[in-house]
Amino acid sequence: MASMSDPQGADGRPGGFRLGQLINDTRYRSYTFQIVALLALIVAFSWLVANLFANLSAQGQNISWDFLLSPAGYDINQQPIPYDSQDTHLRATVIGAMNTIIVAFLACLTATVFGVIAGVARLSKNWIISKLMAVYVEMFRNIPVLIWILIIFTVTANIFPQPRDFRGEEATASMIGGLAAVTNRGVYVPAPYFTNGIGAQEIEAGTEITIANGASGLNWLVVLGVLVGSLIAARALTRWADHRQEATGVRPATLWPRLAIWIVPIAVTLWVLGLHWDVPELRGFNFQGGLLARNSLIALWFALSVYTGAFIAENVRAGILAISKGQTEAAAALGLRPRRIMNLVVLPQALRVIIPPLISQYLNITKNTSLAIAVGYMDLTGTLGGITLNQTGRALECVLLLMLFYLTFSLAISAIMNVYNNSVRLKER
């Protein structure tokens, strides 16, 4: 159908397309400007890349990734998988990336717990609790996280007992439940391993247990698959209960079936795979066996948690205050107690306000893990962006890999949280 701006021929019918319409016709003008801007951006970026390669060529350098396959020649203190100094820079990079993911994942979990508790407690009618939470929020969020990392690392290194304090009849320190030991070198906890699983290896006494020599990674994939299956079954049970409630007005009891869905499959799977635990023991001058979370990891993890938790607390408080008081009053009129009003009425609605800024806080945690080198925790910035870069001189390649990792990891976090945000958003009927 012709529009008012279509040119007309001599017979009054719409004429053909003319180049002048790209500027004068409102239907095409915005597309014209966008295409011109895109082309200009591509030309500018191409010029920068060409300039970069020309400068590298003038200095006798080129972009190469061969350095990743050469021996690293340095040690990494926190090793989620086996590694020694003769392994390649690529393996050192992988371990650094795993260390970054581990501390980011742990910090996101605990920061959320701290933030939710502090945000709810700050709205408490108890004057002492609300003021204590206000002090926590203002104190932690207004001091740089690097300072908190250094403070907590210093405290853990000087206050926690040394391994020798656990020795002898007059020991001044003892293991927690005979299973875990908290020392100034780190926290030792039991390490799980499988004896009947896929690719299980026989482990000699005194060998350090890792994911790799404790069992094949396939066993952990099996465990993960069982947990995912339980999650799907639990959600199906919830949907069935919702439908029954809508149809009959009575919600069936699902507590015990839900517990069975979560506990029975994983318990049977672990029994079949032959789950055992390697408990740390004091041998010689230090603890041997088990898993070690070094004090650098503990300091970084706890500092990121309490620092970011202060920001999340404000997000939670803002989300709760955004809910109309009429919702609380209506729930109270139905006889619900304050705790159930918060859990069943206020927080579910406040999530729609809390989650978008929460995504930004998770991204901040991920990027702040790059401060780990301050306490000697070898994350990706410490391995690839630190020692590997200095040894090989491949600054451009290392920085490109660093940017690619952080971009990919951050986009993955955003995608997951956006999916969750869409699942809790208000659905119009």
Side-chain angles (χ1 to χ4, degrees):
M1 184 175 68
S3 68
M4 295 296 293
S5 58
D6 283 338
Q8 295 183 349
D11 56 354
R13 295 180 179 179
F17 178 79
R18 294 183 301 179
L19 290 177
Q21 289 181 258
L22 295 176
I23 300 298
N24 299 324
D25 195 324
T26 55
R27 294 176 300 173
Y28 306 118
R29 185 181 302 159
S30 61
Y31 294 108
T32 303
F33 289 152
Q34 291 179 51
I35 292 174
V36 170
L38 178 61
L39 291 176
L41 184 62
I42 293 175
V43 170
F45 185 75
S46 301
W47 179 81
L48 289 175
V49 173
N51 191 35
L52 170 65
F53 280 100
N55 290 332
L56 289 174
S57 178
Q59 296 177 1
Q61 298 181 358
N62 59 346
I63 294 181
S64 173
W65 309 100
D66 294 340
F67 71 97
L68 291 174
L69 301 180
S70 60
Y74 60 88
D75 292 325
I76 298 177
N77 48 20
Q78 190 77 44
Q79 303 173 7
I81 59 176
Y83 169 84
D84 60 50
S85 59
Q86 298 304 312
D87 285 325
T88 63
H89 285 288
L90 179 61
R91 191 170 184 84
T93 301
V94 171
I95 292 179
M98 293 179 68
N99 284 338
T100 297
I101 293 174
I102 288 173
V103 72
F105 177 75
L106 294 175
C108 286
L109 285 180
T110 48
T112 304
V113 174
F114 291 161
V116 171
I117 294 175
V120 173
R122 196 172 180 189
L123 296 173
S124 172
K125 295 179 181 179
N126 187 306
W127 186 86
I128 295 178
I129 293 177
S130 63
K131 294 304 176 186
L132 283 176
M133 291 301 103
V135 169
Y136 158 70
V137 170
E138 298 301 334
M139 184 174 67
F140 277 91
R141 74 173 181 174
N142 289 309
I143 295 178
V145 64
L146 178 59
I147 295 178
W148 286 118
I149 294 173
L150 296 175
I151 291 175
I152 295 174
F153 179 77
T154 304
V155 169
T156 56
N158 290 280
I159 291 183
F160 289 161
Q162 301 179 40
R164 66 185 181 186
D165 295 333
F166 292 80
R167 182 182 293 112
E169 297 180 355
E170 299 180 356
T172 58
S174 60
M175 298 181 65
I176 302 175
L179 300 175
V182 179
T183 72
N184 62 348
R185 300 180 183 179
V187 178
Y188 295 83
V189 296
Y193 65 97
F194 301 113
T195 57
N196 301 326
I198 304 172
Q201 304 175 21
E202 185 175 352
I203 301 173
E204 299 178 356
T207 302
E208 182 179 3
I209 303 299
T210 65
I211 292 175
N213 67 11
S216 167
L218 292 176
N219 294 313
W220 296 105
L221 290 179
V222 171
V223 173
L224 180 62
V226 171
L227 291 176
V228 172
S230 298
L231 175 62
I232 295 174
R235 291 180 65 86
L237 179 64
T238 301
R239 286 195 295 271
W240 172 79
D242 292 340
H243 292 158
R244 286 293 303 272
Q245 185 177 14
E246 293 177 359
T248 64
V250 179
R251 188 175 185 81
T254 59
L255 176 61
W256 291 109
R258 191 185 303 275
L259 289 176
I261 288 174
W262 280 107
I263 295 176
V264 174
I266 192 63
V268 172
T269 302
L270 295 177
W271 178 74
V272 171
L273 294 177
L275 176 66
H276 285 72
W277 295 91
D278 180 42
V279 180
E281 296 178 0
L282 184 61
R283 304 171 192 159
F285 297 100
N286 203 356
F287 282 92
Q288 303 293 331
L291 289 178
L292 169 62
R294 295 184 176 274
N295 54 357
S296 56
L297 169 61
I298 300 297
L300 182 65
W301 171 17
F302 192 65
L304 291 176
S305 300
V306 294
Y307 175 78
T308 311
F311 291 91
I312 295 177
E314 287 301 275
N315 297 335
V316 172
R317 187 170 72 96
I320 293 175
L321 291 177
I323 306 303
S324 170
K325 289 185 178 178
Q327 298 281 336
T328 304
E329 294 171 353
L334 294 175
L336 293 178
R337 296 180 178 179
R339 180 179 299 179
R340 294 185 65 82
I341 292 175
M342 180 61 68
N343 293 335
L344 301 178
V345 178
V346 177
L347 278 181
Q349 298 183 76
L351 283 177
R352 297 165 191 142
V353 180
I354 295 171
I355 290 177
L358 186 63
I359 298 174
S360 298
Q361 298 305 329
Y362 286 170
L363 298 181
N364 288 335
I365 287 178
T366 303
K367 290 177 287 188
N368 285 336
T369 57
S370 59
L371 298 171
I373 194 64
V375 289
Y377 181 73
M378 298 298 287
D379 70 331
L380 187 64
T381 305
T383 55
L384 179 65
I387 301 177
T388 296
L389 188 153
N390 290 327
Q391 284 187 356
T392 62
R394 293 290 179 178
L396 180 62
E397 293 89 340
C398 292
V399 171
L400 286 176
L401 286 177
L402 279 174
M403 293 171 60
L404 178 63
F405 170 80
Y406 283 108
L407 179 63
T408 304
F409 193 44
S410 298
L411 290 178
I413 292 175
S414 297
I416 294 172
M417 292 302 297
N418 283 328
V419 169
Y420 180 66
N421 188 34
N422 290 330
S423 69
V424 300
R425 68 182 174 88
L426 186 63
K427 297 178 177 59
E428 300 289 345
R429 295 184 177 179

